[in-house]
Amino acid sequence: MTYRGETAATAPPAAPVPADRPEPWLFVRPGTPPVDGPAGAVLFGRDGTLLQNVAYNGDPAMVHPMAGIRAALTALRAAGFAVGVLSNQPGVSRGLLGRGEVVAVQARAEALLGPIDVWAVCPHAAHDGCACRMPAGALVTAACRALRLPPSRVTVIGCEDTVIAAALAVGAHAIRVPEAGRPLDDPGAPCTLTACRRAGGPEAAADLLLRR
């Protein structure tokens, strides 16, 4: 998998991200066109929604899709939605991961799940002073710009309030799905943001969009 301006061979090794360059990493599939149809785009939170959550994972062998995500992606693509992924990866700033490892995980995910139009990654830790670390909204707006869509035509699906808050902060729509192993009505995992819809999982969230 090669992105615009990016190859695994040229990616630098693990190193702290300088706080004076607090920009998100964008990986846009070559040839991804503007989304001109009525569908728009869906952005998934990576860990816990698209993929099983493995802390600071840079190992493609540890990449496992969440239940229901294949069916959700298939249905959304068939309906004309662009699909993307949002991810906070503070392990990069801490020197635990490098850009090449982030790309390798993304490549494995696409081998299992099919093409992703844009990956938007915040490589910063909380102390780096960036605007892209969710719940801030710059990661969402960066993905929207890459797809040439306004946030009003984008829905974010995630299992954490930080991901949902990032969407709502910039005027995108949001659907909260439960964390793995926790039912949607578990009082320990409600969506505390009133503008957030809820669904029982990625496939149910896709169904909710397709019935809209």
Side-chain angles (χ1 to χ4, degrees), residues 174-202:
I175 301 175
R176 171 76 181 261
V177 295
E179 297 177 42
R182 176 176 283 175
L184 185 66
D185 58 356
D186 185 332
C191 181
T192 59
L193 302 159
T194 57
C196 171
R197 291 179 291 172
R198 301 206 295 172

Side-chain angles (χ1 to χ4, degrees), residues 1 5 10 18 61 95 105 107 126 140 142 148 155-156 161 176 184 186 196 205:
M1 175 180 60
T10 59
V105 165
V140 179
R148 303 183 194 178
T155 298
V156 174
D161 272 355
R176 171 76 181 261
L184 185 66
D186 185 332
C196 171

Side-chain angles (χ1 to χ4, degrees), residues 39-52:
V42 179
L43 306 176
F44 291 87
R46 196 190 87 170
D47 298 319
T49 302
L50 187 87
L51 306 176
Q52 293 179 18

Side-chain angles (χ1 to χ4, degrees), residues 6-35:
E6 176 70 35
T7 67
T10 59
V17 175
D20 60 352
R21 290 191 286 122
E23 297 294 325
W25 289 352
L26 281 180
F27 306 88
V28 184
R29 177 162 291 279
T32 295
V35 183

Side-chain angles (χ1 to χ4, degrees), residues 11-207:
V17 175
D20 60 352
R21 290 191 286 122
E23 297 294 325
W25 289 352
L26 281 180
F27 306 88
V28 184
R29 177 162 291 279
T32 295
V35 183
D36 296 323
V42 179
L43 306 176
F44 291 87
R46 196 190 87 170
D47 298 319
T49 302
L50 187 87
L51 306 176
Q52 293 179 18
N53 192 354
V54 179
Y56 307 124
N57 184 34
D59 182 359
M62 297 294 289
V63 172
H64 303 289
M66 293 294 293
I69 194 66
R70 288 189 182 92
L73 290 169
T74 297
L76 292 168
R77 290 178 182 127
F81 284 91
V83 294
V85 180
L86 307 170
S87 182
N88 285 344
Q89 291 297 316
V92 175
S93 180
R94 297 169 185 168
L96 303 175
L97 296 169
R99 191 179 183 104
E101 290 165 298
V102 171
V103 169
V105 165
Q106 293 171 180
R108 179 57 179 164
E110 293 200 30
L112 295 172
L113 297 172
I116 300 296
D117 297 301
V118 59
W119 296 82
V121 177
C122 171
H124 309 111
H127 63 268
D128 288 333
C130 71
C132 55
R133 179 178 167 85
M134 296 180 288
L139 206 61
V140 179
T141 55
C144 290
R145 284 195 301 271
L147 296 171
R148 303 183 194 178
L149 283 171
S152 61
R153 293 186 58 205
V154 172
T155 298
V156 174
I157 298 173
C159 66
E160 298 180 351
D161 272 355
T162 53
V163 176
I164 300 303
L168 300 179
V170 297
H173 307 283
I175 301 175
R176 171 76 181 261
V177 295
E179 297 177 42
R182 176 176 283 175
L184 185 66
D185 58 356
D186 185 332
C191 181
T192 59
L193 302 159
T194 57
C196 171
R197 291 179 291 172
R198 301 206 295 172
E203 190 171 4
D207 289 342

